[in-house]
Amino acid sequence: MLVRDAMSTVVLTIGPAHTLRQAARLMAARRVGAAVVLDTDTSGLGILTERDILNSLGAGQDPDRETAGTHTTTDVVFAAPSWTLEEAAEAMTHGGFRHLIVLDADGPVGIVSVRDIIRCWTPAARRRAAAATLSG
């Protein structure tokens, strides 16, 4: 199975000036655990995760004053839609993170998480994939 089969195509994109509270609200409303942070001034892509927000709160920082840009991971490992789930899991394990931004030639097309991979690796998901292969 490939990353394109598992990834969420709901990509929340925010700017670096969003506060952590704004980011958390948007993430909660869309039921996602990460947001792509797009800095149009530098054309850079980064990722802000639930863990980044929790770390800030745990450190006693004010979520109304702290910005996404301050807590964004910019040294990001990106996945291609054509990667296998094993390749994605290996990158996550090696890097110690739970989300990968999925890029194609046009930019971000999805995010794949550990949860997405596990969902695809459950026995029921494997049976559905096998049945679809046999009928197609």
Side-chain angles (χ1 to χ4, degrees), residues 59-95:
Q61 297 173 334
D62 182 350
D64 293 313
R65 296 174 74 85
E66 293 296 315
T67 63
T70 305
H71 297 278
T72 296
T73 300
T74 55
D75 185 21
V76 180
V77 175
F78 298 101
S82 59
W83 278 19
T84 65
L85 294 185
E86 289 81 6
E87 289 172 309
E90 174 72 23
M92 290 177 185
T93 301
H94 180 73

Side-chain angles (χ1 to χ4, degrees), residues 3 12 21 23 39 59 66 78 86 99 105 110 128-129:
V3 165
L12 173 60
R21 185 177 308 279
D39 188 340
E66 293 296 315
F78 298 101
E86 289 81 6
H99 298 85
R128 283 192 302 272

Side-chain angles (χ1 to χ4, degrees), residues 1 4 11 19 21 23 26-27 30 32 41 51 55 64-65 67 72 82 84 88 92 98 102 105 108-109:
M1 202 168 236
R4 75 169 53 91
V11 180
T19 67
R21 185 177 308 279
L26 291 168
M27 290 164 66
R30 288 169 178 80
V32 296
D41 291 337
R51 182 171 293 166
N55 286 340
D64 293 313
R65 296 174 74 85
T67 63
T72 296
S82 59
T84 65
M92 290 177 185
R98 299 179 299 156
V102 183
V109 294

Side-chain angles (χ1 to χ4, degrees), residues 40-127:
T40 55
D41 291 337
T42 65
S43 299
L45 281 180
I47 190 166
L48 179 75
T49 67
E50 296 165 319
R51 182 171 293 166
D52 298 322
I53 295 170
L54 285 173
N55 286 340
S56 175
L57 292 173
Q61 297 173 334
D62 182 350
D64 293 313
R65 296 174 74 85
E66 293 296 315
T67 63
T70 305
H71 297 278
T72 296
T73 300
T74 55
D75 185 21
V76 180
V77 175
F78 298 101
S82 59
W83 278 19
T84 65
L85 294 185
E86 289 81 6
E87 289 172 309
E90 174 72 23
M92 290 177 185
T93 301
H94 180 73
F97 44 80
R98 299 179 299 156
H99 298 85
L100 287 169
I101 299 172
V102 183
L103 292 181
D104 70 6
D106 297 322
V109 294
I111 292 184
V112 65
S113 69
V114 169
R115 180 178 295 164
D116 296 326
I117 293 171
I118 291 170
R119 180 178 35 83
C120 289
W121 283 346
T122 63
R126 287 196 308 263
R127 284 193 299 276

